[in-house]
Amino acid sequence: MTVKLKIHALPAGVLRGFPAAALQYQRGWGEFHDVPQMMFVITGGDHPIIVDSGTPEPEFVREHHGYDFHRSPDEDPLRTLRGIGVDPEDVRTIIHTHLHWDHCGNNHLFPNAKYVVQKAELLYAVDPAAPTRTAFENTDRISPPWAPMLNRFSTVTGDVEIAPGVEVVALPGHTPGSQGVLVTSGGERYLLAGDTCDTRANWEGDDRLAHIPSGSFTNLLDYMESFAKMDRLGAEVIPSHDPAVLEIAEFG
C-alpha cells in the first residue's frame, strides 16, 4: 500500500546578517543574509515524526553563540505545531540530521519522544574537535541540549527505515554522522538534507561545482561522496535553511 505522507516546514526564527561564506564553500565573502531556522514535521503516518527540533530561545542564542537571532511569537515552536494540529505529547520519534545547536534546541518539548541519530554523530558530539565544540554546545560554559534525554536516544548506522515511507540516509561530511531523511509519499521522494544542503544554491551548484558544500564541514571528501549518493537517490532535495522552503511550507 502506498503511504501518503506530508512534510511540513515550520519556521523557528531567523539569524540576521549571517555570513554567506558560512553557507557556501569559498563563496560570497563579505556578503550577509538573513537565514531562517526550521523544524520539519512528517504527518500522515501512525504518529507525527519531527525532523530536527529547531533553535533554542533567542536570548540563549545571542548570549552563547553571538548571533543576531530573532523569533516572532508566530514562530514559537509550540504555536507552529498547534497550527498543523500536532500535540508535542503525541510525537514518538524525532530524527536529528545532526547534533548542531540549531537542530536540536527544542528536544525538551517532546516528553514522549525517542531520538534517532547516527551512531557516528553521537560519538563525535560527546567529545568534538575544539573548533566545533560551540556548534555542538559542548563547552565549559554550556552542555548539549540533548544530554538530559540521552537515555531516550537510539543510534543507527547507515541507511535505516524508521517508519513506513521514512528512511534515514547517512550523509557524512558536514559532521561525521550527518544524515538525511528520505520520505516516500504517493510515489514521490523527498530528501530532508539537513545542513548537507543549507540552501538550494548548495544543491544546484554553479559553473565551478555541480553541488557546493557548506562552509562548515568536518570532512570534505566524505561530503562530496554524500553529494554523489544524493544524486543517485533521485529525490527532491529540501534544504534546511532556505527561505523558499518556508514559502512552499508543505511537501507531499
Side-chain angles (χ1 to χ4, degrees):
M1 183 175 66
T2 302
V3 180
K4 285 291 290 183
L5 302 175
K6 182 178 289 186
I7 302 168
H8 307 260
L10 305 182
V14 177
L15 291 177
R16 296 180 180 171
F18 195 75
L23 300 175
Q24 296 183 44
Y25 178 67
Q26 296 292 324
R27 288 152 174 81
W29 295 104
E31 299 176 11
F32 299 87
H33 303 288
D34 291 348
V35 175
Q37 306 297 299
M38 303 182 206
M39 172 170 57
F40 294 94
V41 186
I42 303 169
T43 59
D46 290 339
H47 59 81
I49 295 175
I50 304 292
V51 179
D52 292 336
S53 64
T55 314
E57 292 300 315
E59 296 79 10
F60 182 91
V61 175
R62 288 193 284 268
E63 178 182 357
H64 294 289
H65 295 280
Y67 294 122
D68 186 16
F69 178 61
H70 296 262
R71 175 186 289 149
S72 71
D74 288 342
E75 295 170 328
D76 177 82
L78 292 177
R79 186 166 183 174
T80 59
L81 286 167
R82 285 195 294 268
I84 61 169
V86 172
D87 185 333
E89 293 193 2
D90 292 335
V91 174
R92 297 292 184 269
T93 304
I94 294 179
I95 302 171
H96 285 307
T97 61
H98 61 299
L99 291 176
H100 278 174
W101 65 276
D102 56 327
H103 290 257
C104 56
N106 293 308
N107 283 8
H108 62 283
L109 300 178
F110 305 96
N112 299 314
K114 299 288 187 180
Y115 303 89
V116 179
V117 68
Q118 290 284 321
K119 185 173 184 178
E121 184 74 0
L122 186 58
L123 290 175
Y124 182 81
V126 168
D127 187 20
T132 64
R133 294 194 78 91
T134 299
F136 284 93
E137 289 193 349
N138 191 339
T139 73
D140 57 359
R141 296 183 60 211
I142 50 176
S143 297
W146 45 264
M149 60 276 298
L150 183 59
N151 62 317
R152 289 194 273 141
F153 266 65
S154 175
T155 63
V156 296
T157 300
D159 304 350
V160 178
E161 183 182 63
I162 303 302
V166 180
E167 179 184 1
V168 295
V169 179
L171 299 172
H174 174 64
T175 62
S178 282
Q179 63 183 356
V181 180
L182 184 64
V183 179
T184 303
S185 175
E188 301 294 327
R189 287 154 66 89
Y190 303 89
L191 181 69
L192 294 167
D195 282 0
T196 301
C197 288
D198 292 302
T199 67
R200 292 197 184 281
N202 294 100
W203 182 241
E204 293 172 356
D206 59 14
D207 58 353
R208 288 185 281 166
L209 283 174
H211 308 299
I212 304 169
S214 167
S216 170
F217 52 82
T218 56
N219 189 310
L220 191 55
L221 295 177
D222 284 350
Y223 209 138
M224 300 313 292
E225 289 180 6
S226 291
F227 275 148
K229 181 177 183 178
M230 290 167 62
D231 274 324
R232 295 191 295 271
L233 291 175
E236 179 179 341
V237 173
I238 302 175
S240 60
H241 296 293
D242 195 305
V245 171
L246 290 176
E247 292 173 6
I248 298 171
E250 294 182 356
F251 301 80

